[in-house]
């Protein structure tokens, strides 16, 4: 069975975390989704691209989560989430998934 690309894992964490928090009204539950997917992606990034790349991509993942909040005030919540998710997914693909 083929593994999902890390870009998809990271995107699922960002979009899924926000969606779960929004639809359940429980921010902690959304945060758990975000954290589990982020940890899974970081582990795979390390295996596929090395420690430095994993650190940079993990920082980008966290920055995307944090950056979506002020961006949402300007463009709306879902557009902000999709925008930062696209950036992280593209970076993940370029650094880790494209190789294999």
């Amino acid at each position: 069975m083929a593994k999902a690309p890390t870009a998809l894992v990271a995107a699922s964490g960002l979009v899924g975390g926000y969606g779960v928090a929004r639809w359940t009204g429980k921010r902690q539950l959304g945060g758990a989704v975000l954290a589990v997917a982020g940890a899974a992606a970081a582990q795979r990034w390390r295996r596929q691209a090395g420690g430095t790349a994993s650190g940079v991509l993990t920082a980008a993942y966290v920055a995307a989560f944090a950056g979506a909040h002020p961006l949402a005030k300007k463009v709306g919540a879902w557009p902000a989430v999709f925008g930062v998710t696209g950036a992280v997914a593209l970076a993940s693909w370029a650094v880790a998934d494209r190789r294999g």
Side-chain angles (χ1 to χ4, degrees):
M1 182 172 161
K3 291 186 178 181
T6 61
L8 180 61
V9 175
S12 297
L14 290 164
V15 172
Y18 175 69
V20 167
R22 175 132 183 188
W23 291 316
T24 65
K26 304 205 182 293
R27 295 178 72 179
Q28 298 86 350
L29 190 56
V33 170
L34 180 82
V36 168
Q43 183 179 36
R44 298 254 320 273
W45 287 328
R46 185 177 319 124
R47 232 179 302 142
Q48 289 176 223
T52 301
S54 176
V56 170
L57 289 169
T58 300
Y61 184 84
V62 172
F65 166 70
H69 290 82
L71 183 59
K73 292 179 180 178
K74 296 181 186 290
V75 300
W78 279 113
V81 170
F82 288 137
V84 300
T85 297
V88 170
L90 180 61
S92 180
W93 175 82
V95 172
D97 296 332
R98 181 173 52 143
R99 297 174 184 216

